[in-house]
Amino acid sequence: MVFSSLIFIFLFLAVNLLVYFTVPKKLRNLVLLITSLAFYGWGEPLYIALMLFSIGTAYIFGYFVGKYRETDKKKARVYLVISSLLNLASLLFFKYYNFFASNLGFSQIEKIDLPYWLMALIFILVLDMIVVASVCFSSMKKNSKLITSVVLGIVGIASAIALPMMSGGVLGKIYELKFTLPIGISFYTFQIMSYTFDVYRGDGSVQKRVIPFAAYVTLFPQLIAGPIVRYKDVDDQLTYREHNIDKFAHGVRTFCAGMMKKVILADGMAAFFKYLGDIAEFENTTLGAWLIVISYTFQIYFDFSGYSDMAIGLGRMFGFEFLENFNYPYISRSITDFWRRWHMSLSTWFKDYVYIPLGGNRKGLPRQFFNIAVVWFVTGFWHGASWNYILWGVYFGVILIVEKLFLLKWLKNAPKVLSHLYAIVLILVGWLIFAFPDMNEGMSVLKAMFGVGVDSFATSGVVYDMLRYLPLMLICIVGATPLPKKIYKSLTEKYAIARYLVPVGVAASILICTAYMVDSSFSPFLYFIF
Amino acid sequence: MKNIKKENLITVSVFVIIIFFFAITFWAQKDVAFSEQENRVLQTLPEFTLEKFISGQYSKEINVYFADQFPFRDSFVGAKGIVETVLLKRENNSVVLGKNDNVAVRDMYPIEGGTVDFYNEEKMTAIGKILDQFSEELTKNGIDSALLIPPRTLDVMKSSLPNLFPSYRTESAYELLENELGDSTYVKLLDMYRKMYDNGEYVYYNTDHHWTTLGAYYAYVEIMKSFGMDYYELSDFDIETASDSFFGTTWSRSGFKFVGCDTIEYFHLKGADESKYTSTIHDTTYTKGEMKGFYDRDYLKMKDKYSSFLSGSNKYTSIIKEGEERETLLLIKDSFGHSIAPFLALHFNVEMIDLNYNNNIASYFKTLDVDKVVLVYNMENVISTDNIGKLRFKITTEQ
């Protein structure tokens, strides 16, 4: 289910709000857990088992990490590693299996559909986990417990990898698998891992009650597209959080703003981007190529930040305070600056759980560069199982190293215009790499931007469509700066009438977005052809 | 409740009221099974089965159900049209809003992996060649023919389109096609209709993608001219306004609810008795089978009023005139043919076949004694289908 759908707003959210605020306070986490699981399993009910597996492992191992962290650091670390590996295993399998299979040359033998053995796989994994759990709670000697857990952990990972190979009945034949990626797996896997890490480091306390913990993992607002909420940031809120009208209203405003960003701006730009890419096959122009990159730049920002806003807004309605995920990334004056403003919860995650454990900047410059390289390679790969995402990560890694070496100092003293221009051009090129999994396609757009291989600079068709989208692009430009928020703040602080216009704006934005959602399903069957 | 800000209370109330209003209305109202606006069956409450749920099919159907049955659906569609207009997009759902509320579909076709308002160049050339050969084959067999590719509304209303609109794509498509045609029996129409449109003649509907009866009349004149035959003058007809509230397909799709409706006219030849003409619909599930004259007035009560011309699209329809030996004209057509057939039927027995529903066109030359052939196939269908390829055959009259 996505937020910008009728069924989410007018069924799921309505029922959820009704039940959540009518049950006694102590049942609220349970309500959130159940509704979140329903939200998650909506399109792919079977994957609920996978989710329960992830929750179970993290819960149990987290418990032991917490238990031993003071007394036996080594043992705590082993549990931490097993837990992380198990969680990463499902991420690696579901998101990257086909990528590895095809790049290792195993694939292209046959494509198959596979619900049945997938169920078997999940079954084995769940079983494995239960055995692990029972071993952990048994009265076995500590050492043998540890060994058994490690063995079972390996069994779990091995079964995840081995099953697809055997599924065709022919041993050693590897298939390219056809399945949908469990929604949000990249996000919630990271979120779960942050729990075990935080417990290990003592940044968060062990959550012994399973419902608040499961609710934290599945929490539907940030389940599918973030922000990635670190455990330590919501630890207290899981057990106690305040609900009041002001907070709820704040949530409503944030949600509506996010929805408008997504439905009006991002989806509008998405349509433009799609069309431009398609028409370029017939009229390849320099102007068109620039518009391709520009429209994508707007699309991805408003899509992602709109979604984050909706998540943060929904969180507020249910009493949670999540950290902001975007801070006007396109007004950056360097790439270092950009990555402090773009998808902040992800950068923070990588900083906290990868960069700093690797030694961060404390082990000398060469080591720091190595660490940056690792982080950015992984960041790129996290975004998708395709080479262009890796290139995209490496691209930013290199720029960040160069900026650290000398460029950042120059940029600080450079005229504002120049540093803004520098940043935005590099960001645009970054999105160009990001937008095209087929890198030849990306390359030809890049060439066209600089007049290589184009038919002409522009055709009147391209200009016509540019003018059609010009007003929307201007709104996007203004919307990507802090200006609208500033105006909103000063107006609502100064004038009572402006404050009372806010509910009107809220109503308008819900109705307008509803109109777009209704219309998107509006597909007149035109008896054109016959 | 300590000093809650009043505006926040209003915000929350507004939010909650809107959500619950539509949520409750949605479940309280009755499902609609069919949308006249969109001319399609709507999703009704899907049946729950465990199998469907596990496969995710159930959630898909529920999603569609929600959108299809949403309260005030048509008003929301209209509201979106207004917002798009306010954003100065000039188009909504691929319908262009031109000057003076003129609208036309800017069709997008799936070509080469994309969806574009373009055409496949090789295909246009190939179609030109096929038409040329078809024309030659007919002439060789002593059959007079006229091949018409009526333009789309968008092509005709060039002068009303927004500035810089890429009408050159239309012109180059026709050019590619016509370059191959040599001295065949192809009849050019684009410039003629553009000129008439610019002179304010009502040759194409505004809210629908078809030509009007007047537009069809002019095409009829061109056909008769190319046959070297006499035709009826415009003044020979009594013009009946069959409907003055025709909202066509373009209108439905556009969401531009402020655009006014069209008029449907029937041209009756003065002094002719239309009841002498019988239209027989063969080989379809359509139950009417046979009707007197050319019009099925039941359709005038529905939204799909253009289908009143010869009962809409059918595989094969014969129009004969009682008690008169006349030449047989094979009309190979899409829906543009429906409004031209009544004119042709004044001179010929018309055997009307739909190019989409028929695969073996050659067989009609065996079973019928064809004297003349007219092709009426809209540019829209030329670009988006491969049906013209069905005209590649040799004529044999052996049974």
Side-chain angles (χ1 to χ4, degrees):
Chain A
M1 213 183 295
V2 290
F3 296 153
S4 52
S5 69
L6 295 168
I7 191 153
F8 174 79
I9 296 171
F10 296 103
L11 180 68
F12 180 86
L13 188 59
V15 172
N16 205 349
L17 285 172
L18 192 70
V19 178
Y20 183 86
F21 284 103
T22 46
V23 299
K25 267 196 174 158
K26 57 181 177 184
L27 289 180
R28 283 181 177 174
N29 279 337
L30 182 65
V31 171
L32 275 185
L33 172 61
I34 293 168
T35 53
S36 296
L37 281 176
F39 177 85
Y40 178 75
W42 179 245
E44 295 284 341
L46 280 180
Y47 284 150
I48 290 181
L50 181 72
M51 171 62 92
L52 293 177
F53 163 73
S54 301
I55 294 172
T57 44
Y59 175 76
I60 293 161
F61 287 104
Y63 175 82
F64 285 103
V65 170
K67 190 172 171 189
Y68 291 114
R69 84 171 163 218
E70 304 292 345
T71 52
D72 189 345
K73 204 77 182 173
K74 239 186 208 165
K75 206 173 274 181
R77 182 177 291 173
V78 171
Y79 281 114
L80 171 73
V81 170
I82 297 173
S83 170
S84 306
L85 282 181
L86 277 177
N87 270 303
L88 278 177
S90 67
L91 178 64
L92 280 174
F93 174 71
F94 282 105
K95 192 167 175 178
Y96 299 101
Y97 175 83
N98 282 336
F99 176 76
F100 287 126
S102 70
N103 278 294
L104 293 173
F106 291 143
S107 74
Q108 267 87 40
I109 298 170
E110 207 177 319
K111 288 202 179 193
I112 46 169
D113 288 306
L114 47 87
Y116 288 105
W117 72 263
L118 182 67
M119 274 158 68
L121 165 72
I122 292 168
F123 179 68
I124 288 183
L125 286 175
V126 171
L127 203 69
D128 187 62
M129 184 198 82
I130 294 168
V131 180
V132 172
S134 51
V135 168
C136 291
F137 286 110
S138 73
S139 53
M140 280 160 77
K141 272 191 188 159
K142 277 181 186 170
N143 275 340
S144 41
K145 242 192 212 176
L146 194 66
I147 292 163
T148 324
S149 304
V150 173
V151 170
L152 286 166
I154 292 166
V155 169
I157 297 167
S159 64
I161 296 165
L163 245 139
M165 299 184 204
M166 298 187 285
S167 64
V170 188
L171 204 70
K173 198 174 176 185
I174 299 193
Y175 293 97
E176 196 169 327
L177 302 174
K178 240 163 63 182
F179 47 67
T180 43
L181 190 67
I183 52 165
I185 192 166
S186 317
F187 290 92
Y188 72 72
T189 304
F190 271 30
Q191 216 166 275
I192 290 174
M193 287 167 69
S194 85
Y195 166 71
T196 344
F197 274 105
D198 287 350
V199 169
Y200 175 74
R201 290 191 201 151
D203 291 340
S205 54
V206 176
Q207 181 56 265
K208 289 190 180 147
R209 287 154 61 212
V210 74
I211 288 170
F213 177 72
Y216 157 71
V217 175
T218 56
L219 212 54
F220 76 86
Q222 29 73 359
L223 180 66
I224 51 175
I228 299 165
V229 179
R230 287 174 304 176
Y231 184 72
K232 58 184 174 196
D233 293 331
V234 288
D235 191 357
D236 304 332
Q237 298 180 36
L238 284 171
T239 31
Y240 176 76
R241 55 186 181 271
E242 203 182 340
H243 302 85
N244 61 47
I245 294 283
D246 289 337
K247 202 169 172 184
F248 196 101
H250 190 187
V252 168
R253 290 196 301 269
T254 315
F255 178 77
C256 287
M259 192 161 59
M260 288 293 273
K261 275 184 180 178
K262 161 81 183 131
V263 173
I264 306 294
L265 301 182
D267 290 352
M269 281 296 133
F272 190 33
F273 169 72
K274 168 88 177 50
Y275 176 77
L276 285 165
D278 289 351
I279 200 71
E281 293 283 318
F282 302 90
E283 294 177 5
N284 193 9
T285 60
T286 307
L287 180 66
W290 277 96
L291 289 171
I292 284 177
V293 186
I294 291 169
S295 58
Y296 190 76
T297 300
F298 286 131
Q299 181 199 341
I300 193 156
Y301 170 64
F302 287 105
D303 196 273
F304 203 173
S305 80
Y307 224 84
S308 288
D309 285 348
M310 284 190 271
I312 292 167
L314 287 165
R316 283 198 185 112
M317 294 182 210
F318 292 93
F320 290 95
E321 279 297 343
F322 302 142
L323 296 174
E324 286 290 335
N325 210 11
F326 290 89
N327 183 24
Y328 311 105
Y330 293 160
I331 63 166
S332 305
R333 295 181 58 194
S334 67
I335 294 303
T336 311
D337 192 17
F338 173 71
W339 277 103
R340 283 190 200 120
R341 296 166 174 274
W342 177 273
H343 200 180
M344 287 139 72
S345 66
L346 182 75
S347 340
T348 316
W349 196 94
F350 275 113
K351 197 178 112 208
D352 281 5
Y353 304 113
V354 182
Y355 182 67
I356 290 176
L358 283 174
N361 58 5
R362 289 160 295 150
K363 293 188 178 171
L365 213 55
R367 178 60 193 249
Q368 190 191 354
F369 289 161
F370 172 78
N371 294 344
I372 293 177
V374 170
V375 166
W376 287 93
F377 176 84
V378 182
T379 302
F381 202 36
W382 179 86
H383 280 84
S386 171
W387 286 105
N388 69 309
Y389 298 114
I390 296 177
L391 177 66
W392 180 74
V394 170
Y395 165 82
F396 279 119
V398 170
I399 296 175
L400 288 169
I401 290 173
V402 173
E403 285 193 353
K404 283 240 153 53
L405 278 172
F406 63 94
L407 205 55
L408 215 51
K409 279 180 220 153
W410 291 11
L411 287 169
K412 243 177 212 160
N413 304 321
K416 259 189 167 181
V417 188
L418 229 61
S419 53
H420 278 301
L421 198 68
Y422 156 85
I424 204 73
V425 168
L426 289 183
I427 292 167
L428 285 176
V429 174
W431 290 134
L432 186 67
I433 301 170
F434 192 90
F436 296 99
D438 175 358
M439 288 200 279
N440 290 328
E441 223 175 306
M443 201 55 213
S444 71
V445 176
L446 185 66
K447 278 185 191 159
M449 284 167 73
F450 298 97
V452 180
V454 296
D455 305 328
S456 61
F457 176 76
T459 58
S460 84
V462 172
V463 175
Y464 166 77
D465 281 302
M466 180 185 76
L467 292 177
R468 290 201 319 116
Y469 280 97
L470 198 58
L472 202 64
M473 285 195 281
L474 292 175
I475 297 173
C476 286
I477 291 173
V478 177
T481 68
L483 194 66
K485 195 163 199 179
K486 250 187 214 163
I487 294 172
Y488 168 84
K489 268 204 170 147
S490 74
L491 284 181
T492 46
E493 270 162 23
K494 267 186 216 156
Y495 307 105
I497 179 97
R499 283 196 290 278
Y500 285 102
L501 277 175
V502 172
V504 178
V506 163
S509 50
I510 301 171
L511 293 176
I512 288 174
C513 291
T514 305
Y516 273 73
M517 288 181 246
V518 170
D519 185 82
S520 71
S521 72
F522 179 84
S523 48
F525 170 68
L526 297 177
Y527 34 95
F528 246 157
I529 298 174
F530 316 127
Chain B
M1 302 279 254
K2 42 174 185 167
N3 57 21
I4 285 167
K5 285 184 190 157
K6 223 195 263 167
E7 63 267 23
N8 284 343
L9 191 63
I10 300 173
T11 300
V12 174
S13 315
V14 162
F15 182 75
V16 170
I17 288 169
I18 290 178
I19 285 184
F20 281 92
F21 172 76
F22 287 108
I24 293 166
T25 315
F26 179 84
W27 294 109
Q29 69 180 3
K30 261 196 181 156
D31 286 357
V32 186
F34 184 81
S35 164
E36 276 225 335
Q37 281 296 328
E38 297 164 57
N39 196 31
R40 71 177 175 100
V41 176
L42 297 176
Q43 173 79 51
T44 46
L45 187 65
E47 203 185 325
F48 182 88
T49 63
L50 193 65
E51 202 178 324
K52 251 171 46 179
F53 182 68
I54 296 289
S55 70
Q57 180 62 26
Y58 184 75
S59 359
K60 260 182 216 151
E61 283 176 20
I62 279 278
N63 276 333
V64 178
Y65 172 60
F66 235 83
D68 274 6
Q69 302 292 347
F70 204 78
F72 311 106
R73 185 177 160 76
D74 286 343
S75 309
F76 276 120
V77 170
K80 189 228 169 192
I82 292 170
V83 177
E84 292 282 279
T85 316
V86 170
L87 287 171
L88 304 176
K89 282 198 194 165
R90 303 177 197 184
E91 289 179 17
N92 186 28
N93 298 341
S94 284
V95 174
V96 187
L97 180 61
K99 292 157 195 162
N100 307 321
D101 283 356
N102 277 297
V103 286
V105 178
R106 179 189 183 190
D107 257 295
M108 298 285 168
Y109 311 100
I111 305 171
E112 291 179 19
T115 310
V116 284
D117 53 334
F118 221 87
Y119 49 85
N120 186 317
E121 290 180 7
E122 288 99 63
K123 186 174 156 183
M124 295 313 286
T125 311
I127 285 173
K129 278 187 185 135
I130 292 170
L131 291 179
D132 189 50
Q133 284 160 12
F134 183 53
S135 164
E136 200 176 299
E137 177 72 14
L138 291 169
T139 313
K140 218 165 63 188
N141 285 275
I143 301 170
D144 281 344
S145 65
L147 311 183
L148 282 69
I149 307 293
R152 300 159 294 184
T153 315
L154 184 87
D155 307 330
V156 172
M157 65 174 263
K158 182 183 180 185
S159 59
S160 291
L161 291 170
N163 296 333
L164 293 171
F165 188 89
S167 286
Y168 60 84
R169 290 175 191 163
T170 298
E171 286 138 31
S172 53
Y174 268 104
E175 212 172 282
L176 279 174
L177 191 145
E178 289 170 0
N179 276 343
E180 303 298 322
L181 285 166
D183 47 327
S184 70
T185 54
Y186 174 82
V187 179
K188 282 192 181 188
L189 295 173
L190 180 63
D191 290 340
M192 177 183 93
Y193 281 121
R194 278 184 172 171
K195 226 171 267 165
M196 290 171 173
Y197 178 86
D198 292 349
N199 289 335
E201 288 205 73
Y202 189 37
V203 284
Y204 270 67
Y205 296 114
N206 187 32
T207 67
D208 196 70
H209 62 283
H210 291 108
W211 53 22
T212 60
T213 316
L214 181 65
Y217 167 77
Y218 285 125
Y220 147 79
V221 170
E222 291 304 306
I223 291 167
M224 296 306 278
K225 275 187 193 163
S226 86
F227 288 158
M229 292 173 68
D230 291 338
Y231 52 87
Y232 293 107
E233 297 291 334
L234 209 47
S235 55
D236 295 331
F237 293 94
D238 283 324
I239 295 173
E240 174 201 356
T241 303
S243 168
D244 55 6
S245 56
F246 174 43
F247 292 97
T249 51
T250 311
W251 188 86
S252 305
R253 180 165 167 180
S254 72
F256 296 137
K257 305 282 179 191
F258 47 83
V259 171
C261 59
D262 276 292
T263 309
I264 288 190
E265 292 168 333
Y266 296 157
F267 285 27
H268 304 291
L269 185 64
K270 283 173 184 165
D273 180 4
E274 277 180 18
S275 69
K276 278 199 174 153
Y277 296 85
T278 310
S279 306
T280 311
I281 295 157
H282 307 283
D283 187 24
T284 72
T285 49
Y286 194 70
T287 50
K288 280 203 174 167
E290 204 176 281
M291 61 184 187
K292 292 280 166 214
F294 317 117
Y295 310 107
D296 184 345
R297 288 170 190 265
D298 289 351
Y299 278 103
L300 294 175
K301 293 172 208 140
M302 297 189 250
K303 180 176 175 295
D304 181 14
K305 294 181 170 55
Y306 183 79
S307 283
S308 67
F309 292 100
L310 289 158
S311 280
S313 290
N314 294 291
K315 186 180 176 188
Y316 173 30
T317 307
S318 306
I319 314 168
I320 52 159
K321 190 181 179 190
E322 241 169 73
E324 213 176 298
E325 276 293 311
R326 303 193 303 169
E327 280 194 311
T328 299
L329 182 145
L330 185 69
L331 174 58
I332 306 170
K333 57 89 204 176
D334 56 16
S335 55
F336 273 65
H338 304 162
S339 47
I340 202 174
F343 293 111
L344 296 171
L346 299 174
H347 305 270
F348 310 100
N349 284 341
V350 176
E351 305 287 347
M352 184 166 87
I353 59 173
D354 197 297
L355 194 51
N356 188 64
Y357 298 140
N358 288 281
N359 291 322
N360 189 355
I361 309 294
S363 68
Y364 288 96
F365 288 89
K366 287 180 192 163
T367 52
L368 301 168
D369 186 14
V370 177
D371 301 298
K372 299 220 160 18
V373 167
V374 169
L375 172 77
V376 175
Y377 212 59
N378 177 227
M379 192 54 157
E380 152 75 27
N381 285 332
V382 169
I383 297 176
S384 65
T385 74
D386 291 328
N387 287 336
I388 292 287
K390 294 176 186 172
L391 299 179
R392 221 177 331 188
F393 57 83
K394 293 267 175 255
I395 296 170
T396 50
T397 44
E398 296 148 28
Q399 295 284 330

